[in-house]
Amino acid sequence: MNHSLAICTLSVLASVAVCAQTAQTAAAMSPAEISIQKAEAQIAKQPNHVPYYASLAMAYARRARETSDVAYYAKAEETLERSFKVAPDNFDALKVRAWLLLGRHEFAKALEAATVLNKRVPDDITVYGYLADANAELGNYDAAVKAAQWMLNIRPGNVAGLTRAAYLRELHGDLSGAMDLMHMAYDSTPFQEAEDRAWLLTQIAHLQLLSGNVLEAETYATGALGLFPNYHYALGTLAQVRIAQNRYDDAVALLEKRYSAAPHAENLFALAEALDRAGRKNDAAKAFAEFEQKSLLESNITDNSNHELIGYYVDYAHQPARALEIAKQELARRHDAFTLDAYAWSLAASGDYAQAHAEMQKALAFGVKDPKVLRHASEIAQHLSETAASR
Amino acid sequence: MKMKPLALLPPLAVLAMLLAPPAQLFASSHREAPITALDQKADITDWYAFVSPEHPDHVVMILNVDPFLEPANGPNYFPFDPNILYEMKIDNDHDGNEDITFQFRFTTQIRQPGVFTGFVGNLAGIPAITALDGAGSEGFSLRQTYTITMVTKHGRQAIGQGQTLFAVPSNVGPRTMPDYNALRAQGIYNLPNGISVFAGTVADPFFIDLGAAFDSLNFRSAVGGGVLSASVDADDHHNYAPNTLAGYNVNSIVLEVPISLLTVDGKMHAAGDKNAVIGTYGTTSRPRVTVLRDSTTNLAGGFSQIQREGNPLINELIIGTGSKDRFSTEDPSNDSQFANFFLNPLLAQIFGSIGIPVPPAPRMDLLPLVQYNAPICPGCGPQDAGPIADLMRLNTGIPPTPFAMAKRLGFLAGDNAGYPNGRRPLDDVVDISARAVAGILADPKYNTPIGDGVNTAATPLPSTFPFVAPAYSGRDSVHGAGPGQPGCSGQIGNVCPN
């Protein structure tokens, strides 16, 4: 990290305390609530002005991110329908619709929608963001990089482009480079955007943790929670920090809090794993069972928790055949590094180490350095090596 | 179908939300290009260059950025962006390319991380802010320092090395900063080699009836609907229409340097000598980011220009919307691609359509604004014109006019030290530019007194360095000067017309 960025880091760290206090004392409403209120007032005043509906729909979607409450997605959809009644086929609403497709993990459909929108208005930076998102989730990393680079070329320093580039750098294994960009994004995010800033601090915490800097990760995750209390993302990241510190009971408490706020299958899986590590075997078994039931119900739709379900069947339930079946199903939808890893891991558990190794090489091709993926890769390679040696 | 909130998305898809532009960015105009409309910190509001009336052997350059700063908008107020490279550039050999560059980089410190605002004084045991450093600066928590680097063909040179330069914060209010003017004075630095510098928040010196101008030239009927009466036109000291900038702050970097440091041969020259004329402009740039790095040593290598300004209002009034971003990010020496905008400006066509006589295109009379020609460069022959390049040209051989005697219409009113020979904060560039577009430089017969009725800045402009007025107080200032509001001293009862 260069000198200026070191100062930048200090600045972010120091401002966490300032931000936290201000957020708690000054903000009765969250940024999304303020946006919702503003857009609703604008629509009441000018019901035929189409952009206001897109603003309201995005504000609802943003509130969903703040609260993890899925009801806001329905409100966003409903708002878009109102928009289309005023102006069918209007661009602003179609953009929000593409974004909602991403939210539902309909990555292929989102890519299709964004591609159509891109042809319609070639210079819209938001649409390029959706192209980057959809391509990255589908595993089309070169196309994702191209879209993100376009964003940064046309608008150097824009926050949306920086954060996308940071994620792609992370996937490419450049963790310090990803942190550099997240810091730049943080510096450019307006002070009053508390949730955006908390999100950025959470991402920096995540990157610090991946880099092995547990104390720094703790500082940033704690700062995010100070900025946006009970923020579900930050709770999850701080829980990972606690696990790295072997403070499993604290991790369980944080993950229980997150699951209470965001009762989704993958959050329950993380809680079950933490319970297991904390030695609470009965509670863990109960949580795993509940997770399996919940996850299976959504396994066939795009918005699923199949990565966790595969991990559960391989690592805890020891049912590799079921894991492999689900992995194949998921691989038909996307071929990103994490899906390829899950597939490779289920192949290995099924005894097909040669194929597992081949799939793992695909998973690692872009440069991902996720600890779990690397552990899987290492174990597969070691098994092959031992097998070869025994011959 | 069940839908999950973004909590469940892998990180990248979540980022889409960050695209939602912050609401505050919609609160102001004074933002011309689509890119910079989304990057307020990098938005150059105005660029000034003039021979100092205090020191006639020096040139003053002012780079103003970050428009429409509401003085009360705490708690962090308006720091410069540490990620932006701010630059002042000078072409002294008339090729349109910079030969001398002054670079400014800012660094932020948070000195009181436990305090809820960037600035606090006379509260909770913290004394009032009376100093930028040392005793009396304890409450100056969000503090910025900056560096200056001079870049020439001979290399890079740090200016004022060894001296810590502090940016002057905005005027929070009288409890926190009981003597703001004294505090601000500490931010004026006299450096070696006759260089002076100031950086900080100031009252925006620009003046314009922005609302009327951008409502399709819907100027107030009380001031002639855009054509001024002789008495209003002759009044350099009162406003007859609302000044949209009244009450707003802006961030300002002011640099005064010896003329001999800027000219091609390091000497001062008489006005008739072509070497007396320099071309200047300001830029803002951000680090160029490559998504995937080839090494771990760069953010990217170099910077991407976000915006530039040479002549005022070129991007706002002359360049078409579809080309504004490209114009902002281009080097002036490549401006020939925009020649049609200069030589056949749409604004002139509009003037013609509403009955204001204008010369026919191509408008060669506008070339002095974008080439080295007389009358700004009387010593330039045809071979010296250089490429079409939007630069603020300044003839350093023309002596400065004391501000008390200066004319708002500058060159057009016989005050040759004013725009378009350089630009001073007091120059009424709105009226001057409009009249230039209408043809006054082509022939005196095209002398329609076009104007918005805003003839002077909201706050008296200092006649000494840094030539920009102190920031408005966050606690005690009001904007006023809206339609129907007080603030138009030229009108009966001081009330601005609707």
Side-chain angles (χ1 to χ4, degrees):
Chain A
M1 181 178 290
N2 64 35
H3 179 62
S4 64
L5 285 165
I7 291 167
C8 178
T9 304
L10 287 173
S11 167
V12 174
L13 280 168
S15 66
V16 162
V18 182
C19 301
Q21 290 188 23
T22 307
Q24 287 167 344
T25 54
M29 289 199 299
S30 74
E33 287 177 306
I34 292 169
S35 298
I36 290 169
Q37 189 180 60
K38 183 180 172 187
E40 283 177 336
Q42 288 170 324
I43 290 172
K45 201 172 174 182
Q46 290 181 269
N48 290 324
H49 190 61
V50 175
Y52 292 155
Y53 291 95
S55 299
L56 180 60
M58 284 300 278
Y60 279 134
R62 186 174 186 183
R63 186 64 181 150
R65 187 178 88 165
E66 286 183 352
T67 63
S68 193
D69 184 348
V70 296
Y72 287 105
Y73 276 134
K75 286 175 177 282
E77 290 279 2
E78 182 188 311
T79 305
L80 290 183
E81 291 308 317
R82 290 168 65 194
S83 171
F84 288 126
K85 280 180 186 166
V86 178
D89 202 37
N90 78 80
F91 189 72
D92 289 330
L94 288 172
K95 280 203 299 185
V96 180
R97 177 167 278 178
W99 186 86
L100 292 175
L101 285 171
L102 286 166
R104 288 192 213 107
H105 288 205
E106 296 273 10
F107 300 123
K109 286 184 181 174
L111 178 60
E112 189 180 339
T115 302
V116 170
L117 293 173
N118 179 245
K119 282 180 182 161
R120 185 163 154 183
V121 181
D123 285 352
D124 190 290
I125 195 168
T126 312
V127 172
Y128 270 92
Y130 300 158
L131 289 172
D133 291 343
N135 277 310
E137 300 307 337
L138 289 169
N140 306 328
Y141 294 123
D142 289 345
V145 168
K146 194 175 172 186
Q149 189 65 61
W150 188 94
M151 297 173 79
L152 292 171
N153 289 348
I154 195 68
R155 289 185 187 159
N158 79 85
V159 170
L162 287 173
T163 50
R164 284 175 168 89
Y167 182 55
L168 289 165
R169 282 188 178 184
E170 177 190 338
L171 289 176
H172 195 55
D174 181 4
L175 299 179
S176 70
M179 273 188 275
D180 288 349
L181 299 187
M182 285 295 184
H183 278 291
M184 287 174 67
Y186 183 88
D187 283 347
S188 297
T189 300
F191 183 86
Q192 70 272 20
E193 299 296 333
E195 194 259 348
D196 278 349
R197 296 169 75 213
W199 186 89
L200 288 161
L201 291 179
T202 304
Q203 295 307 311
I204 296 169
H206 162 74
L207 291 164
Q208 290 283 8
L209 190 59
L210 286 182
S211 304
N213 305 323
V214 179
L215 278 178
E216 286 83 352
E218 180 179 6
T219 301
Y220 284 108
T222 306
L225 285 167
L227 200 58
F228 204 79
N230 295 319
Y231 192 38
H232 52 98
Y233 288 123
L235 288 171
T237 302
L238 187 58
Q240 296 305 313
V241 170
R242 296 291 178 245
I243 288 170
Q245 293 168 328
N246 298 324
R247 291 169 59 179
Y248 300 119
D249 288 336
D250 292 338
V252 166
L254 289 162
L255 291 170
E256 282 176 338
K257 203 171 182 180
R258 180 176 75 163
Y259 185 59
S260 173
H264 308 301
E266 49 269 67
N267 291 349
L268 181 55
F269 181 71
L271 173 59
E273 283 195 306
L275 285 164
D276 185 62
R277 290 191 178 202
R280 293 166 58 178
K281 298 296 180 187
N282 288 339
D283 290 337
K286 190 177 166 190
F288 276 130
E290 189 182 337
F291 159 74
E292 180 185 13
Q293 191 177 19
K294 201 163 185 166
S295 185
L296 281 171
L297 286 175
E298 63 188 19
S299 182
N300 288 323
I301 62 173
T302 53
D303 187 8
N304 59 52
S305 48
N306 281 345
H307 288 172
E308 290 78 8
L309 190 58
I310 293 163
Y312 167 71
Y313 280 133
V314 172
D315 297 329
Y316 295 96
H318 306 296
Q319 298 180 46
R322 300 195 72 175
L324 189 57
E325 179 189 352
I326 294 162
K328 285 178 178 173
Q329 175 187 314
E330 192 63 16
L331 196 65
R333 296 191 183 112
R334 52 201 296 211
H335 50 274
D336 62 292
F338 300 102
T339 302
L340 285 164
D341 164 66
Y343 180 45
W345 194 231
S346 61
L347 281 168
S350 304
D352 189 352
Y353 279 90
Q355 186 62 26
H357 180 70
E359 297 298 333
M360 186 55 82
Q361 294 315 301
K362 293 182 197 170
L364 296 172
F366 191 63
V368 67
K369 287 193 173 69
D370 180 86
K372 190 169 78 173
V373 177
L374 293 181
R375 179 171 59 80
H376 291 168
S378 172
E379 290 187 20
I380 290 168
Q382 188 177 352
H383 181 90
L384 285 173
S385 173
E386 288 170 356
T387 304
S390 67
R391 287 174 185 162
Chain B
M1 177 186 286
K2 184 193 83 164
M3 287 188 292
K4 291 177 187 173
L6 293 174
L8 305 182
L9 283 175
L12 187 57
V14 178
L15 305 181
M17 280 313 301
L18 290 170
L19 281 165
Q24 73 165 27
L25 294 185
F26 293 121
S28 65
S29 60
H30 202 27
R31 300 169 286 121
E32 55 281 6
I35 286 178
T36 44
L38 294 174
D39 194 351
Q40 173 158 327
K41 286 287 180 190
D43 189 355
I44 299 174
T45 64
D46 288 283
W47 167 251
Y48 304 88
F50 55 97
V51 176
S52 167
E54 270 190 307
H55 306 112
D57 56 347
H58 283 61
V59 164
V60 179
M61 293 175 284
I62 303 175
L63 179 63
N64 283 354
V65 297
D66 206 353
F68 282 95
L69 302 178
E70 160 57 46
N73 193 9
N76 280 356
Y77 296 87
F78 324 113
F80 289 90
D81 190 331
N83 289 322
I84 292 177
L85 174 66
Y86 302 87
E87 293 179 293
M88 299 177 174
K89 299 184 174 182
I90 298 97
D91 165 37
N92 59 21
D93 59 7
H94 302 180
D95 65 357
N97 294 310
E98 70 272 21
D99 302 292
I100 300 168
T101 300
F102 294 94
Q103 299 182 326
F104 300 82
R105 301 295 304 269
F106 291 81
T107 301
T108 303
Q109 302 169 284
I110 302 290
R111 302 166 73 212
Q112 299 270 9
V115 173
F116 65 92
T117 176
F119 311 92
V120 65
N122 273 324
L123 188 70
I126 298 176
I129 300 176
T130 56
L132 299 179
D133 195 26
S137 74
E138 293 85 347
F140 188 8
S141 178
L142 198 166
R143 189 169 72 171
Q144 291 196 300
T145 59
Y146 61 99
T147 60
I148 314 169
T149 304
M150 180 175 169
V151 184
T152 68
K153 60 185 176 185
H154 302 299
R156 303 168 60 84
Q157 179 188 353
I159 303 291
Q161 201 169 20
Q163 185 166 358
T164 304
L165 308 174
F166 295 105
V168 173
S170 192
N171 183 356
V172 171
R175 172 180 284 182
T176 309
M177 301 172 177
D179 189 348
Y180 180 74
N181 288 349
L183 182 70
R184 162 184 142 109
Q186 297 171 41
I188 295 172
Y189 297 99
N190 297 313
L191 305 174
N193 301 319
I195 296 175
S196 299
V197 68
F198 168 90
T201 304
V202 304
D204 194 334
F206 191 50
F207 48 96
I208 184 175
D209 185 351
L210 199 60
F214 285 117
D215 183 24
S216 303
L217 307 179
N218 185 13
F219 292 106
R220 318 281 164 183
S221 55
V223 282
V227 178
L228 304 181
S229 67
S231 61
V232 171
D233 195 31
D235 187 345
D236 283 0
H237 304 292
H238 298 92
N239 286 334
Y240 295 82
N243 173 11
T244 313
L245 277 302
Y248 286 102
N249 290 328
V250 73
N251 277 343
S252 190
I253 303 171
V254 188
L255 185 72
E256 182 173 304
V257 297
I259 290 172
S260 57
L261 204 61
L262 303 180
T263 54
V264 67
D265 55 3
K267 297 174 183 171
M268 293 182 63
H269 296 275
D273 188 326
K274 68 178 182 182
N275 288 334
V277 181
I278 57 175
T280 69
Y281 67 111
T283 65
T284 49
S285 302
R286 287 187 178 279
R288 183 177 297 122
V289 173
T290 304
V291 173
L292 301 186
R293 304 188 298 180
D294 292 330
S295 74
T296 57
T297 57
N298 70 85
L299 275 175
F303 288 81
S304 295
Q305 183 174 299
I306 304 291
Q307 205 192 19
R308 61 169 162 140
E309 181 165 319
N311 283 291
L313 305 173
I314 288 281
N315 206 358
E316 291 93 331
L317 294 181
I318 302 294
I319 304 298
T321 301
S323 301
K324 284 182 189 292
D325 284 341
R326 191 191 308 167
F327 181 86
S328 290
T329 56
E330 266 291 6
D331 289 331
S333 56
N334 295 327
D335 279 349
S336 59
Q337 64 186 302
F338 308 110
N340 282 341
F341 289 119
F342 298 123
L343 297 176
N344 189 19
L346 177 62
L347 186 59
Q349 298 169 43
I350 292 170
F351 284 161
S353 73
I354 58 176
I356 295 174
V358 294
R363 296 291 305 282
M364 308 305 282
D365 57 299
L366 293 176
L367 287 180
L369 297 176
V370 290
Q371 285 190 303
Y372 292 95
N373 286 324
I376 298 170
C377 187
C380 289
Q383 72 281 6
D384 301 315
I388 286 179
D390 176 27
L391 300 169
M392 170 68 69
R393 288 166 175 79
L394 173 65
N395 188 326
T396 60
I398 295 177
T401 305
F403 277 9
M405 300 166 61
K407 303 290 187 188
R408 73 179 180 94
L409 294 176
F411 218 84
L412 303 188
D415 176 4
N416 292 344
Y419 185 72
N421 175 34
R423 180 189 175 191
R424 305 163 298 193
L426 60 86
D427 290 333
D428 191 344
V429 296
V430 175
D431 290 12
I432 297 171
S433 300
R435 293 178 200 196
V437 169
I440 189 73
L441 298 175
D443 190 316
K445 72 179 181 184
Y446 297 109
N447 62 351
T448 307
I450 300 170
D452 63 354
V454 183
N455 292 356
T456 186
T459 302
L461 294 167
S463 57
T464 56
F465 191 86
F467 302 101
V468 281
Y472 295 104
S473 163
R475 183 183 185 276
D476 293 336
S477 67
V478 294
H479 291 292
Q485 294 177 329
C488 291
S489 58
Q491 296 286 1
I492 296 170
N494 193 36
V495 176
C496 294
N498 289 309

